[in-house]
Amino acid sequence: MAVLNMVEAIRQTLADEMARDGRILLLGQDIGRNGGVFRATDGLQERFGEDRVVDMPLAEAVIVGASVGLAASGLRPVAELQFLGFGSQAFHQIEGQVARMRFRSQGRYGMPLVIRAPFGGNVRTPELHSDAHEAKYVNSPGLKVAMPASAYDARGLLAEAIRDPDPVLFCEPLRGYRRIKDEVPDADYTVPFGQARLVRDGTDVAVIAWSAAVTVAAEAAAQLAADGISCAVLDLRTLVPLDVRALAEVVARTGRAVVVHEAPMTAGFGAEVIATIQEEAFWSLEAPIGRVTAYDTPYPIASVEEHYLPSIERVKHAIRRVAGEV
Amino acid sequence: MGPATATAREQAAVVPVTRLGPDGVLAPGCDPALSSAEALAAFRLMLLTRTYDERAFSLQRQGRLGTFSPVTGQEASVVGSAWALDPTRDWVVPQYRELPAMLRQGHTLEKVLLYQMGNPVGNRMEEGVNVLPIQISLAAQVPHAVGLAWGLRHQGLDACVITYFGDGASSEGDVHEAMNLAGVRRASVIFFLQNNGFAISTPVAKQTATESFALRAAGYGFPGELVDGNDLFAVYEVTRRAVERARAGEGPTLIESRTYRLGPHNTADDPTRYVDPEELRSWQALDPIVRVRAWLRSEGALDDASEVELQAELDGEVARAVAAAEAFPKVRPGQIFEHVYARPPDRVAAQWESVGEAGSA
């Protein structure tokens, strides 16, 4: 057992999976000699060679599109998009090709591939590097979407993603790469998809989040505990599959809920969570469900990003309002 | 198979490589690229394609078949290129107008019909049939072909991959990204661009300002060839050269096959709105089937009696496929869910359950 940050956990998982399965091949921009702009693949080209850790041209559509062909040939590609915001330049390959190839070929060509993509704010990046685009991808049947919030889950969910016969978009929170650290076992393990994690139990309000927003939600919950408000914090871990049962259970216990995410509000995945809660736990609800999200604006210039992202204060305020205190 | 030496302008890819003239006579000094027995087999596949197109068109008009895109006019282009492959190790990554290439690789008319009649099972290639599913999102298949060629070679196989796309699809960014990557990785892939004159109604002149699509290859660091797409021998010869290059690890080739779509874009299209009748007539005179037939007759490999016999055989083959496809069990609503995921999310499983056929795959 060692304390790792998320990028270390991801790097270790890639190395272990590549050692375990010779069919795995990494491809992306700057991932070879440079070890990735965030060092997620540092040392892997040295260890596994240029044939298995491949520096690609600056072209997202063919990074993903070539992965489709590599998977069809019998390999298990793990592609890196340098930033999820640039995934839009490969969206037609992700939504129209990766997600559908198993269906289109009626099972002949499964797509056991992973697309890793860092995203999210609070690291002072230029435009499009920070955007939380997860909701654009969840409406792509055939694709799974994983959003780890801890180093433990980064390792367990990535190992699961690589071994899953279905394609997975694996979103890595930029600010968690170095700041989120926790204990990660040395031994092999996976975290199954579709099983949310109860980060903290509580009786008054359920706070539902994923990826780096979980840290914000957990901190808000810890601070409110001192004020006598007991919050449960549920980390969804994967948006597809969605752990409907865990959502229903936590809301049945608390009767009140707040959803927190870094993406803009309108048609963000929070809307799906709220719709699911009203289907599954409507009669348990004692108050309207709150949501704390980014604003319906483009991601702002970095100097004001802390006003755009859900903050601990905004989450606390929403919890108090849902709890009937304000 | 000693072809005539390519002219400088052929080598420059601005004049198409041509071997078999419209009258079915080989250019002076050329040996036929195929033996008469092989040319007869290729001719059979070309004629099967034409026969199928005519029958399928009539089935579509009777409401027994959905929308489809005929190959008519492009038979030499598709058959000649596919003929250069070894179906046991090489791969075809099609768009959707390459029926005979898929058949050559081992796909069946029955399954083609099944798909066109609305059964998704028809788009499943059997194991051992080295073909990706047809592609509706134009050009999206081109990156797949590069990845496939790369992956096969990574696993030590000396396979090569041909991908088909058109003059219209060539405007898509995916083609640029794929060719660029193929050049960098020296992928064993053949980019087979069928320039058939139109993207639905948009003529080539509105698609590109280049004199020849084949010239683009230079910008990617590999050879480009321009070929008369209505000439079976020339298409075979040029593609064969590209296969040999790929097999030897020398990387990709771009082939522009200059041909003409003699029929509509698909069964929902009315080309009389935009095709110049004079131009159409001039290309009808260049029908690829006519010139192979003339050559085979001049070689004594075909005569009136044997062609009547062949046509009857092909009519029977198509009729049997139609009968088999029409006798196939109807599509079930549960098929909406089959093969979407290997491990469906609970929510999808519940939706599947709700249509009452869960687990019947």
Side-chain angles (χ1 to χ4, degrees):
Chain A
M1 192 83 87
V3 173
L4 301 182
N5 63 30
M6 285 186 88
V7 82
E8 289 163 344
I10 287 162
R11 186 190 309 133
Q12 187 181 323
T13 309
L14 290 171
D16 290 353
E17 291 298 302
M18 290 184 80
R20 183 186 58 78
D21 185 346
R23 295 170 300 172
I24 296 169
L25 169 154
L26 311 187
L27 63 159
Q29 293 163 35
D30 307 303
I31 68 165
R33 190 164 178 188
N34 193 35
V37 291
F38 298 103
R39 307 291 174 260
T41 54
D42 199 19
L44 298 185
Q45 191 180 64
E46 247 174 359
R47 178 167 169 198
F48 295 102
E50 286 186 31
D51 285 346
R52 291 188 68 198
V53 181
V54 182
D55 279 316
M56 289 288 280
L58 196 164
E60 287 82 5
V62 84
I63 290 173
V64 176
S67 299
V68 170
L70 288 164
S73 84
L75 298 174
R76 299 183 81 103
V78 178
E80 179 181 301
L81 296 176
Q82 206 158 66
F83 293 91
L84 185 62
F86 303 120
S88 300
Q89 309 215 162
F91 188 75
H92 64 293
Q93 284 290 344
I94 299 172
E95 189 274 337
Q97 304 300 320
V98 168
R100 295 166 189 240
M101 189 55 87
R102 172 180 292 277
F103 180 69
R104 183 179 298 147
S105 68
Q106 292 287 289
R108 167 88 191 269
Y109 303 109
M111 287 287 119
L113 61 87
V114 178
I115 301 166
R116 295 179 38 247
F119 82 104
N122 240 340
V123 287
R124 298 282 185 262
T125 60
E127 196 189 354
L128 282 164
H129 290 66
S130 297
D131 292 54
H133 278 176
E134 67 271 21
K136 299 185 199 304
Y137 293 94
V138 297
N139 215 318
S140 306
L143 186 69
K144 294 174 179 174
V145 180
M147 312 218 52
S150 68
Y152 178 92
D153 280 358
R155 178 153 168 72
L157 289 171
L158 182 56
E160 178 75 5
I162 289 171
R163 298 175 199 184
D164 195 296
D166 293 314
V168 180
L169 177 66
F170 192 84
C171 303
E172 303 169 1
L174 275 171
R175 76 173 111 146
Y177 270 161
R178 303 233 151 35
R179 282 184 241 162
I180 294 177
K181 293 179 189 172
D182 45 280
E183 287 196 338
V184 177
D186 298 324
D188 180 53
Y189 67 94
T190 59
V191 170
F193 283 0
Q195 291 187 13
R197 171 175 68 115
L198 196 60
V199 179
R200 162 189 196 106
D201 208 358
T203 52
D204 297 329
V205 178
V207 187
I208 297 140
W210 50 93
S211 195
V214 171
T215 310
V216 177
E219 182 55 33
Q223 292 181 16
L224 287 174
D227 300 346
I229 300 178
S230 166
C231 293
V233 175
L234 189 72
D235 169 9
L236 291 181
R237 282 175 159 164
T238 56
L239 306 188
V240 181
L242 176 63
D243 190 346
V244 174
R245 185 183 299 171
L247 268 179
E249 280 174 6
V250 75
V251 174
R253 276 207 304 287
T254 57
R256 298 166 197 271
V258 169
V259 187
V260 184
H261 62 66
E262 280 195 30
M265 175 184 278
T266 300
F269 195 73
E272 181 59 43
V273 170
I274 293 167
T276 303
I277 292 171
Q278 76 81 23
E279 282 171 347
E280 302 291 331
F282 181 78
W283 302 110
S284 303
L285 285 174
E286 293 171 37
I289 301 166
R291 50 180 163 168
V292 185
T293 69
Y295 300 118
D296 286 345
T297 68
Y299 200 95
I301 193 112
S303 54
V304 289
E305 68 179 334
E306 63 270 25
H307 297 282
Y308 169 84
L309 293 166
S311 63
I312 293 166
E313 284 311 311
R314 279 171 64 198
V315 174
K316 279 164 64 179
H317 182 76
I319 294 170
R320 285 186 196 279
R321 204 177 55 209
V322 166
E325 290 205 353
V326 285
Chain B
M1 291 193 294
T5 313
T7 67
R9 282 177 64 74
E10 280 177 3
Q11 282 177 345
V14 291
V15 162
V17 174
T18 304
R19 298 292 176 251
L20 196 57
D23 49 2
V25 176
L26 272 169
C30 286
D31 292 334
L34 294 165
S35 69
S36 57
E38 277 205 84
L40 184 60
F43 175 74
R44 185 187 193 283
L45 184 54
M46 291 169 71
L47 201 58
L48 175 65
T49 305
R50 186 72 61 95
T51 304
Y52 176 84
D53 276 353
E54 284 165 9
R55 182 69 188 127
F57 216 91
S58 138
L59 290 172
Q60 195 276 337
R61 291 298 189 250
Q62 295 168 48
R64 291 159 71 187
L65 198 78
T67 305
F68 86 103
S69 294
V71 184
T72 304
Q74 298 175 224
E75 292 91 345
S77 178
V78 183
V79 172
S81 51
W83 215 264
L85 304 176
D86 172 0
T88 65
R89 57 177 159 165
D90 298 328
W91 285 71
V92 167
V93 178
Q95 192 164 282
Y96 52 68
R97 206 189 295 280
E98 294 87 24
L99 168 77
M102 293 163 73
L103 297 178
R104 165 84 175 159
Q105 294 289 106
H107 197 43
T108 64
L109 270 187
E110 181 192 340
K111 294 199 85 170
V112 169
L113 280 158
L114 208 52
Y115 185 68
Q116 287 168 352
M117 287 174 177
N119 193 325
V121 169
N123 212 16
R124 184 191 163 103
M125 310 297 153
E126 295 305 327
E127 289 298 329
V129 176
N130 296 339
V131 182
L132 291 195
I134 62 162
Q135 179 62 252
I136 305 298
S137 184
L138 296 182
Q141 76 278 15
V142 184
H144 305 171
V146 180
L148 179 60
W150 166 8
L152 294 167
R153 193 151 283 253
H154 180 88
Q155 293 168 81
L157 301 166
D158 67 347
C160 66
V161 177
I162 191 168
T163 184
Y164 292 92
F165 56 105
D167 44 295
S170 79
S171 298
E172 293 273 9
D174 273 3
V175 170
H176 164 68
E177 291 193 24
M179 287 196 189
N180 182 55
L181 176 66
V184 170
R185 295 209 62 81
R186 295 171 77 82
S188 46
V189 62
I190 297 154
F191 298 101
F192 198 85
L193 188 162
Q194 294 197 81
N195 175 357
N196 71 0
F198 295 95
I200 304 188
S201 70
T202 309
V204 176
K206 291 189 177 165
Q207 210 68 244
T208 182
T210 190
E211 184 184 2
S212 151
F213 287 104
L215 294 174
R216 290 187 184 170
Y220 300 109
F222 53 78
E225 297 230 41
L226 175 60
V227 66
D228 176 351
N230 285 18
D231 176 346
L232 177 74
F233 288 167
V235 173
Y236 173 81
E237 177 193 316
V238 164
T239 315
R240 185 79 220 161
R241 196 147 57 222
V243 168
E244 281 160 12
R245 273 178 43 77
R247 195 91 73 206
E250 290 167 23
T253 306
L254 167 62
I255 298 171
E256 175 187 349
S257 171
R258 199 164 285 176
T259 179
Y260 197 82
R261 199 192 72 207
L262 290 177
H265 162 64
N266 65 22
T267 44
D269 178 37
D270 173 13
T272 62
R273 293 172 63 88
Y274 56 84
V275 170
D276 171 20
E278 267 312 302
E279 183 182 278
L280 179 62
R281 265 192 295 278
S282 72
W283 279 94
Q284 279 166 338
L286 302 173
D287 189 320
I289 289 183
V290 169
R291 58 177 96 171
V292 187
R293 174 188 287 133
W295 183 80
L296 287 169
R297 283 173 181 257
S298 73
E299 290 291 297
L302 192 71
D303 58 23
D304 286 350
S306 63
E307 192 170 349
V308 167
E309 201 178 313
L310 174 60
Q311 188 60 61
E313 195 181 302
L314 298 177
D315 289 342
E317 202 171 317
V318 172
R320 281 192 300 280
V322 172
E326 288 191 326
F328 202 84
K330 277 200 176 349
V331 185
R332 294 164 288 103
Q335 283 178 257
I336 291 168
F337 296 93
E338 289 171 14
H339 308 297
V340 175
Y341 291 94
R343 296 182 191 161
D346 289 349
R347 177 172 270 186
V348 178
Q351 291 168 357
W352 193 345
E353 192 79 41
S354 76
V355 305
E357 295 177 50
S360 59

